[in-house]
Amino acid sequence: MDKEIIENLEKNKYLKEKLESIDKLLLGENYKEAYLKFATILEYINIKYIKAKYNMDMPDSSVINIITTYETRDKELYENMKIVNGEYNDINTDDIRISDVEYLASIVNLIYKYMVDKVGEFI
């Protein structure tokens, strides 16, 4: 995967470890599993960010609940998470390609950079 796509994620030790496991999946052309791991990373960073920024726990961390949390608090994250939700609704999980993984990775990278710029390192 292009390092520019995930440059901000690689700066975090925890996320870098996750990215290494995703790289192995990509080398084995297991795109579906790699995509799902990026989705899990996105959920994780949202949970951690919401806790750090708003001191809120997210017992139900579905994308819709995350979107609802941002709706009145952060317009940019609200819009970006709506894009993610649309991506999740449109993706055929039986036919995930490397381009799908790279697209989701770029969104996760963008969101993570925004979060770090807002509150500093939170993971």
PDB file of all heavy atoms in Angstrom, residues 84-112:
ATOM      1  N   VAL A  84     -18.151   7.718   5.196  1.00  0.00           N
ATOM      2  CA  VAL A  84     -17.787   6.338   5.544  1.00  0.00           C
ATOM      3  C   VAL A  84     -19.027   5.454   5.560  1.00  0.00           C
ATOM      4  O   VAL A  84     -19.020   4.342   5.026  1.00  0.00           O
ATOM      5  CB  VAL A  84     -17.072   6.282   6.913  1.00  0.00           C
ATOM      6  CG1 VAL A  84     -16.949   4.857   7.416  1.00  0.00           C
ATOM      7  CG2 VAL A  84     -15.706   6.943   6.821  1.00  0.00           C
ATOM      8  N   ASN A  85     -20.093   5.945   6.143  1.00  0.00           N
ATOM      9  CA  ASN A  85     -21.330   5.171   6.195  1.00  0.00           C
ATOM     10  C   ASN A  85     -21.833   4.865   4.785  1.00  0.00           C
ATOM     11  O   ASN A  85     -22.253   3.745   4.495  1.00  0.00           O
ATOM     12  CB  ASN A  85     -22.402   5.912   7.002  1.00  0.00           C
ATOM     13  CG  ASN A  85     -23.612   5.058   7.260  1.00  0.00           C
ATOM     14  OD1 ASN A  85     -23.501   3.936   7.743  1.00  0.00           O
ATOM     15  ND2 ASN A  85     -24.784   5.592   6.930  1.00  0.00           N
ATOM     16  N   GLY A  86     -21.756   5.842   3.908  1.00  0.00           N
ATOM     17  CA  GLY A  86     -22.148   5.620   2.520  1.00  0.00           C
ATOM     18  C   GLY A  86     -21.256   4.577   1.859  1.00  0.00           C
ATOM     19  O   GLY A  86     -21.739   3.705   1.127  1.00  0.00           O
ATOM     20  N   GLU A  87     -19.967   4.644   2.128  1.00  0.00           N
ATOM     21  CA  GLU A  87     -19.021   3.661   1.600  1.00  0.00           C
ATOM     22  C   GLU A  87     -19.384   2.264   2.096  1.00  0.00           C
ATOM     23  O   GLU A  87     -19.411   1.304   1.323  1.00  0.00           O
ATOM     24  CB  GLU A  87     -17.596   4.036   2.035  1.00  0.00           C
ATOM     25  CG  GLU A  87     -16.558   2.962   1.872  1.00  0.00           C
ATOM     26  CD  GLU A  87     -16.158   2.676   0.433  1.00  0.00           C
ATOM     27  OE1 GLU A  87     -16.541   3.438  -0.473  1.00  0.00           O
ATOM     28  OE2 GLU A  87     -15.468   1.668   0.221  1.00  0.00           O
ATOM     29  N   TYR A  88     -19.664   2.143   3.376  1.00  0.00           N
ATOM     30  CA  TYR A  88     -20.032   0.838   3.940  1.00  0.00           C
ATOM     31  C   TYR A  88     -21.313   0.298   3.304  1.00  0.00           C
ATOM     32  O   TYR A  88     -21.432  -0.896   3.067  1.00  0.00           O
ATOM     33  CB  TYR A  88     -20.243   0.932   5.449  1.00  0.00           C
ATOM     34  CG  TYR A  88     -18.990   1.111   6.273  1.00  0.00           C
ATOM     35  CD1 TYR A  88     -19.089   1.350   7.636  1.00  0.00           C
ATOM     36  CD2 TYR A  88     -17.713   1.046   5.732  1.00  0.00           C
ATOM     37  CE1 TYR A  88     -17.964   1.506   8.423  1.00  0.00           C
ATOM     38  CE2 TYR A  88     -16.583   1.208   6.513  1.00  0.00           C
ATOM     39  CZ  TYR A  88     -16.717   1.439   7.866  1.00  0.00           C
ATOM     40  OH  TYR A  88     -15.603   1.587   8.644  1.00  0.00           O
ATOM     41  N   ASN A  89     -22.252   1.189   3.033  1.00  0.00           N
ATOM     42  CA  ASN A  89     -23.513   0.758   2.424  1.00  0.00           C
ATOM     43  C   ASN A  89     -23.344   0.350   0.965  1.00  0.00           C
ATOM     44  O   ASN A  89     -24.085  -0.501   0.471  1.00  0.00           O
ATOM     45  CB  ASN A  89     -24.569   1.859   2.539  1.00  0.00           C
ATOM     46  CG  ASN A  89     -25.061   2.037   3.956  1.00  0.00           C
ATOM     47  OD1 ASN A  89     -25.051   1.110   4.761  1.00  0.00           O
ATOM     48  ND2 ASN A  89     -25.479   3.251   4.288  1.00  0.00           N
ATOM     49  N   ASP A  90     -22.378   0.954   0.289  1.00  0.00           N
ATOM     50  CA  ASP A  90     -22.182   0.685  -1.135  1.00  0.00           C
ATOM     51  C   ASP A  90     -21.256  -0.492  -1.430  1.00  0.00           C
ATOM     52  O   ASP A  90     -21.323  -1.064  -2.508  1.00  0.00           O
ATOM     53  CB  ASP A  90     -21.608   1.918  -1.846  1.00  0.00           C
ATOM     54  CG  ASP A  90     -22.631   3.036  -1.971  1.00  0.00           C
ATOM     55  OD1 ASP A  90     -23.829   2.769  -1.797  1.00  0.00           O
ATOM     56  OD2 ASP A  90     -22.201   4.180  -2.231  1.00  0.00           O
ATOM     57  N   ILE A  91     -20.418  -0.843  -0.486  1.00  0.00           N
ATOM     58  CA  ILE A  91     -19.390  -1.854  -0.757  1.00  0.00           C
ATOM     59  C   ILE A  91     -19.986  -3.259  -0.806  1.00  0.00           C
ATOM     60  O   ILE A  91     -20.851  -3.600  -0.016  1.00  0.00           O
ATOM     61  CB  ILE A  91     -18.254  -1.779   0.298  1.00  0.00           C
ATOM     62  CG1 ILE A  91     -17.020  -2.529  -0.162  1.00  0.00           C
ATOM     63  CG2 ILE A  91     -18.685  -2.318   1.641  1.00  0.00           C
ATOM     64  CD1 ILE A  91     -16.181  -1.790  -1.109  1.00  0.00           C
ATOM     65  N   ASN A  92     -19.536  -4.015  -1.767  1.00  0.00           N
ATOM     66  CA  ASN A  92     -19.902  -5.426  -1.858  1.00  0.00           C
ATOM     67  C   ASN A  92     -18.796  -6.201  -1.150  1.00  0.00           C
ATOM     68  O   ASN A  92     -17.700  -6.348  -1.686  1.00  0.00           O
ATOM     69  CB  ASN A  92     -20.013  -5.856  -3.322  1.00  0.00           C
ATOM     70  CG  ASN A  92     -20.292  -7.329  -3.477  1.00  0.00           C
ATOM     71  OD1 ASN A  92     -20.353  -8.085  -2.506  1.00  0.00           O
ATOM     72  ND2 ASN A  92     -20.460  -7.755  -4.718  1.00  0.00           N
ATOM     73  N   THR A  93     -19.067  -6.678   0.048  1.00  0.00           N
ATOM     74  CA  THR A  93     -18.018  -7.324   0.845  1.00  0.00           C
ATOM     75  C   THR A  93     -17.529  -8.632   0.238  1.00  0.00           C
ATOM     76  O   THR A  93     -16.504  -9.154   0.657  1.00  0.00           O
ATOM     77  CB  THR A  93     -18.482  -7.574   2.295  1.00  0.00           C
ATOM     78  OG1 THR A  93     -19.684  -8.334   2.282  1.00  0.00           O
ATOM     79  CG2 THR A  93     -18.692  -6.265   3.035  1.00  0.00           C
ATOM     80  N   ASP A  94     -18.221  -9.132  -0.740  1.00  0.00           N
ATOM     81  CA  ASP A  94     -17.759 -10.341  -1.417  1.00  0.00           C
ATOM     82  C   ASP A  94     -16.836 -10.025  -2.592  1.00  0.00           C
ATOM     83  O   ASP A  94     -16.288 -10.933  -3.206  1.00  0.00           O
ATOM     84  CB  ASP A  94     -18.958 -11.167  -1.915  1.00  0.00           C
ATOM     85  CG  ASP A  94     -19.770 -11.725  -0.752  1.00  0.00           C
ATOM     86  OD1 ASP A  94     -19.167 -12.083   0.278  1.00  0.00           O
ATOM     87  OD2 ASP A  94     -21.005 -11.792  -0.881  1.00  0.00           O
ATOM     88  N   ASP A  95     -16.676  -8.751  -2.902  1.00  0.00           N
ATOM     89  CA  ASP A  95     -15.847  -8.360  -4.038  1.00  0.00           C
ATOM     90  C   ASP A  95     -15.028  -7.117  -3.706  1.00  0.00           C
ATOM     91  O   ASP A  95     -15.069  -6.113  -4.415  1.00  0.00           O
ATOM     92  CB  ASP A  95     -16.725  -8.105  -5.270  1.00  0.00           C
ATOM     93  CG  ASP A  95     -15.911  -7.859  -6.529  1.00  0.00           C
ATOM     94  OD1 ASP A  95     -14.804  -8.428  -6.640  1.00  0.00           O
ATOM     95  OD2 ASP A  95     -16.374  -7.081  -7.377  1.00  0.00           O
ATOM     96  N   ILE A  96     -14.283  -7.168  -2.608  1.00  0.00           N
ATOM     97  CA  ILE A  96     -13.460  -6.031  -2.211  1.00  0.00           C
ATOM     98  C   ILE A  96     -12.135  -6.087  -2.952  1.00  0.00           C
ATOM     99  O   ILE A  96     -11.501  -7.137  -3.037  1.00  0.00           O
ATOM    100  CB  ILE A  96     -13.257  -6.020  -0.684  1.00  0.00           C
ATOM    101  CG1 ILE A  96     -14.600  -5.754   0.001  1.00  0.00           C
ATOM    102  CG2 ILE A  96     -12.229  -4.961  -0.282  1.00  0.00           C
ATOM    103  CD1 ILE A  96     -14.554  -5.705   1.497  1.00  0.00           C
ATOM    104  N   ARG A  97     -11.758  -4.952  -3.477  1.00  0.00           N
ATOM    105  CA  ARG A  97     -10.525  -4.842  -4.261  1.00  0.00           C
ATOM    106  C   ARG A  97      -9.511  -3.989  -3.499  1.00  0.00           C
ATOM    107  O   ARG A  97      -9.869  -3.293  -2.563  1.00  0.00           O
ATOM    108  CB  ARG A  97     -10.826  -4.198  -5.611  1.00  0.00           C
ATOM    109  CG  ARG A  97     -11.852  -4.983  -6.420  1.00  0.00           C
ATOM    110  CD  ARG A  97     -12.363  -4.173  -7.600  1.00  0.00           C
ATOM    111  NE  ARG A  97     -13.527  -4.793  -8.187  1.00  0.00           N
ATOM    112  CZ  ARG A  97     -13.479  -5.693  -9.164  1.00  0.00           C
ATOM    113  NH1 ARG A  97     -12.322  -6.063  -9.657  1.00  0.00           N
ATOM    114  NH2 ARG A  97     -14.593  -6.207  -9.648  1.00  0.00           N
ATOM    115  N   ILE A  98      -8.295  -4.018  -3.945  1.00  0.00           N
ATOM    116  CA  ILE A  98      -7.247  -3.215  -3.319  1.00  0.00           C
ATOM    117  C   ILE A  98      -7.624  -1.738  -3.326  1.00  0.00           C
ATOM    118  O   ILE A  98      -7.352  -1.014  -2.371  1.00  0.00           O
ATOM    119  CB  ILE A  98      -5.861  -3.445  -3.981  1.00  0.00           C
ATOM    120  CG1 ILE A  98      -4.748  -2.694  -3.232  1.00  0.00           C
ATOM    121  CG2 ILE A  98      -5.866  -3.039  -5.439  1.00  0.00           C
ATOM    122  CD1 ILE A  98      -4.420  -3.223  -1.876  1.00  0.00           C
ATOM    123  N   SER A  99      -8.280  -1.273  -4.375  1.00  0.00           N
ATOM    124  CA  SER A  99      -8.681   0.137  -4.447  1.00  0.00           C
ATOM    125  C   SER A  99      -9.681   0.480  -3.343  1.00  0.00           C
ATOM    126  O   SER A  99      -9.669   1.592  -2.816  1.00  0.00           O
ATOM    127  CB  SER A  99      -9.254   0.468  -5.826  1.00  0.00           C
ATOM    128  OG  SER A  99     -10.380  -0.331  -6.111  1.00  0.00           O
ATOM    129  N   ASP A 100     -10.541  -0.464  -2.969  1.00  0.00           N
ATOM    130  CA  ASP A 100     -11.490  -0.240  -1.869  1.00  0.00           C
ATOM    131  C   ASP A 100     -10.739  -0.095  -0.546  1.00  0.00           C
ATOM    132  O   ASP A 100     -11.057   0.778   0.269  1.00  0.00           O
ATOM    133  CB  ASP A 100     -12.483  -1.403  -1.763  1.00  0.00           C
ATOM    134  CG  ASP A 100     -13.336  -1.572  -3.002  1.00  0.00           C
ATOM    135  OD1 ASP A 100     -13.798  -0.559  -3.561  1.00  0.00           O
ATOM    136  OD2 ASP A 100     -13.528  -2.734  -3.420  1.00  0.00           O
ATOM    137  N   VAL A 101      -9.749  -0.953  -0.352  1.00  0.00           N
ATOM    138  CA  VAL A 101      -8.940  -0.900   0.876  1.00  0.00           C
ATOM    139  C   VAL A 101      -8.179   0.417   0.940  1.00  0.00           C
ATOM    140  O   VAL A 101      -8.167   1.086   1.982  1.00  0.00           O
ATOM    141  CB  VAL A 101      -7.962  -2.098   0.941  1.00  0.00           C
ATOM    142  CG1 VAL A 101      -7.078  -1.999   2.182  1.00  0.00           C
ATOM    143  CG2 VAL A 101      -8.705  -3.420   0.914  1.00  0.00           C
ATOM    144  N   GLU A 102      -7.579   0.819  -0.159  1.00  0.00           N
ATOM    145  CA  GLU A 102      -6.823   2.069  -0.185  1.00  0.00           C
ATOM    146  C   GLU A 102      -7.724   3.281   0.031  1.00  0.00           C
ATOM    147  O   GLU A 102      -7.326   4.237   0.702  1.00  0.00           O
ATOM    148  CB  GLU A 102      -6.048   2.196  -1.493  1.00  0.00           C
ATOM    149  CG  GLU A 102      -4.897   1.231  -1.567  1.00  0.00           C
ATOM    150  CD  GLU A 102      -4.159   1.251  -2.895  1.00  0.00           C
ATOM    151  OE1 GLU A 102      -4.749   1.722  -3.905  1.00  0.00           O
ATOM    152  OE2 GLU A 102      -3.012   0.792  -2.919  1.00  0.00           O
ATOM    153  N   TYR A 103      -8.926   3.235  -0.512  1.00  0.00           N
ATOM    154  CA  TYR A 103      -9.864   4.343  -0.314  1.00  0.00           C
ATOM    155  C   TYR A 103     -10.228   4.471   1.157  1.00  0.00           C
ATOM    156  O   TYR A 103     -10.160   5.568   1.734  1.00  0.00           O
ATOM    157  CB  TYR A 103     -11.110   4.140  -1.176  1.00  0.00           C
ATOM    158  CG  TYR A 103     -12.139   5.230  -0.992  1.00  0.00           C
ATOM    159  CD1 TYR A 103     -11.905   6.521  -1.469  1.00  0.00           C
ATOM    160  CD2 TYR A 103     -13.330   4.978  -0.325  1.00  0.00           C
ATOM    161  CE1 TYR A 103     -12.841   7.534  -1.292  1.00  0.00           C
ATOM    162  CE2 TYR A 103     -14.270   5.990  -0.146  1.00  0.00           C
ATOM    163  CZ  TYR A 103     -14.028   7.261  -0.627  1.00  0.00           C
ATOM    164  OH  TYR A 103     -14.944   8.264  -0.431  1.00  0.00           O
ATOM    165  N   LEU A 104     -10.589   3.354   1.789  1.00  0.00           N
ATOM    166  CA  LEU A 104     -10.938   3.399   3.213  1.00  0.00           C
ATOM    167  C   LEU A 104      -9.726   3.815   4.037  1.00  0.00           C
ATOM    168  O   LEU A 104      -9.857   4.627   4.960  1.00  0.00           O
ATOM    169  CB  LEU A 104     -11.489   2.052   3.689  1.00  0.00           C
ATOM    170  CG  LEU A 104     -11.943   2.016   5.154  1.00  0.00           C
ATOM    171  CD1 LEU A 104     -13.015   3.066   5.429  1.00  0.00           C
ATOM    172  CD2 LEU A 104     -12.446   0.625   5.512  1.00  0.00           C
ATOM    173  N   ALA A 105      -8.549   3.315   3.705  1.00  0.00           N
ATOM    174  CA  ALA A 105      -7.329   3.691   4.428  1.00  0.00           C
ATOM    175  C   ALA A 105      -7.090   5.193   4.343  1.00  0.00           C
ATOM    176  O   ALA A 105      -6.715   5.826   5.336  1.00  0.00           O
ATOM    177  CB  ALA A 105      -6.137   2.930   3.866  1.00  0.00           C
ATOM    178  N   SER A 106      -7.314   5.776   3.180  1.00  0.00           N
ATOM    179  CA  SER A 106      -7.097   7.219   3.028  1.00  0.00           C
ATOM    180  C   SER A 106      -8.091   8.020   3.859  1.00  0.00           C
ATOM    181  O   SER A 106      -7.731   9.050   4.437  1.00  0.00           O
ATOM    182  CB  SER A 106      -7.165   7.626   1.557  1.00  0.00           C
ATOM    183  OG  SER A 106      -8.477   7.507   1.050  1.00  0.00           O
ATOM    184  N   ILE A 107      -9.324   7.553   3.961  1.00  0.00           N
ATOM    185  CA  ILE A 107     -10.319   8.231   4.788  1.00  0.00           C
ATOM    186  C   ILE A 107      -9.933   8.120   6.265  1.00  0.00           C
ATOM    187  O   ILE A 107      -9.991   9.108   7.008  1.00  0.00           O
ATOM    188  CB  ILE A 107     -11.727   7.652   4.550  1.00  0.00           C
ATOM    189  CG1 ILE A 107     -12.211   7.993   3.143  1.00  0.00           C
ATOM    190  CG2 ILE A 107     -12.721   8.183   5.592  1.00  0.00           C
ATOM    191  CD1 ILE A 107     -13.502   7.316   2.753  1.00  0.00           C
ATOM    192  N   VAL A 108      -9.528   6.930   6.690  1.00  0.00           N
ATOM    193  CA  VAL A 108      -9.119   6.725   8.079  1.00  0.00           C
ATOM    194  C   VAL A 108      -7.926   7.629   8.395  1.00  0.00           C
ATOM    195  O   VAL A 108      -7.886   8.285   9.439  1.00  0.00           O
ATOM    196  CB  VAL A 108      -8.779   5.241   8.351  1.00  0.00           C
ATOM    197  CG1 VAL A 108      -8.185   5.058   9.735  1.00  0.00           C
ATOM    198  CG2 VAL A 108     -10.019   4.366   8.183  1.00  0.00           C
ATOM    199  N   ASN A 109      -6.960   7.697   7.496  1.00  0.00           N
ATOM    200  CA  ASN A 109      -5.788   8.542   7.681  1.00  0.00           C
ATOM    201  C   ASN A 109      -6.186  10.012   7.818  1.00  0.00           C
ATOM    202  O   ASN A 109      -5.710  10.715   8.716  1.00  0.00           O
ATOM    203  CB  ASN A 109      -4.827   8.352   6.511  1.00  0.00           C
ATOM    204  CG  ASN A 109      -3.514   9.054   6.704  1.00  0.00           C
ATOM    205  OD1 ASN A 109      -2.778   8.762   7.636  1.00  0.00           O
ATOM    206  ND2 ASN A 109      -3.222   9.995   5.825  1.00  0.00           N
ATOM    207  N   LEU A 110      -7.058  10.479   6.959  1.00  0.00           N
ATOM    208  CA  LEU A 110      -7.535  11.860   6.988  1.00  0.00           C
ATOM    209  C   LEU A 110      -8.245  12.173   8.306  1.00  0.00           C
ATOM    210  O   LEU A 110      -7.988  13.199   8.944  1.00  0.00           O
ATOM    211  CB  LEU A 110      -8.481  12.102   5.808  1.00  0.00           C
ATOM    212  CG  LEU A 110      -9.157  13.459   5.751  1.00  0.00           C
ATOM    213  CD1 LEU A 110      -8.176  14.497   5.234  1.00  0.00           C
ATOM    214  CD2 LEU A 110     -10.374  13.392   4.851  1.00  0.00           C
ATOM    215  N   ILE A 111      -9.131  11.281   8.725  1.00  0.00           N
ATOM    216  CA  ILE A 111      -9.879  11.484   9.964  1.00  0.00           C
ATOM    217  C   ILE A 111      -8.937  11.485  11.162  1.00  0.00           C
ATOM    218  O   ILE A 111      -9.037  12.343  12.049  1.00  0.00           O
ATOM    219  CB  ILE A 111     -10.987  10.414  10.106  1.00  0.00           C
ATOM    220  CG1 ILE A 111     -12.104  10.690   9.095  1.00  0.00           C
ATOM    221  CG2 ILE A 111     -11.548  10.377  11.533  1.00  0.00           C
ATOM    222  CD1 ILE A 111     -13.157   9.592   8.995  1.00  0.00           C
ATOM    223  N   TYR A 112      -8.007  10.548  11.187  1.00  0.00           N
ATOM    224  CA  TYR A 112      -7.064  10.463  12.301  1.00  0.00           C
ATOM    225  C   TYR A 112      -6.212  11.731  12.389  1.00  0.00           C
ATOM    226  O   TYR A 112      -6.003  12.281  13.470  1.00  0.00           O
ATOM    227  CB  TYR A 112      -6.189   9.221  12.157  1.00  0.00           C
ATOM    228  CG  TYR A 112      -5.187   9.082  13.268  1.00  0.00           C
ATOM    229  CD1 TYR A 112      -5.583   8.754  14.559  1.00  0.00           C
ATOM    230  CD2 TYR A 112      -3.829   9.284  13.027  1.00  0.00           C
ATOM    231  CE1 TYR A 112      -4.658   8.629  15.586  1.00  0.00           C
ATOM    232  CE2 TYR A 112      -2.899   9.155  14.041  1.00  0.00           C
ATOM    233  CZ  TYR A 112      -3.320   8.829  15.317  1.00  0.00           C
ATOM    234  OH  TYR A 112      -2.400   8.716  16.333  1.00  0.00           O
TER     235      TYR A 112
END
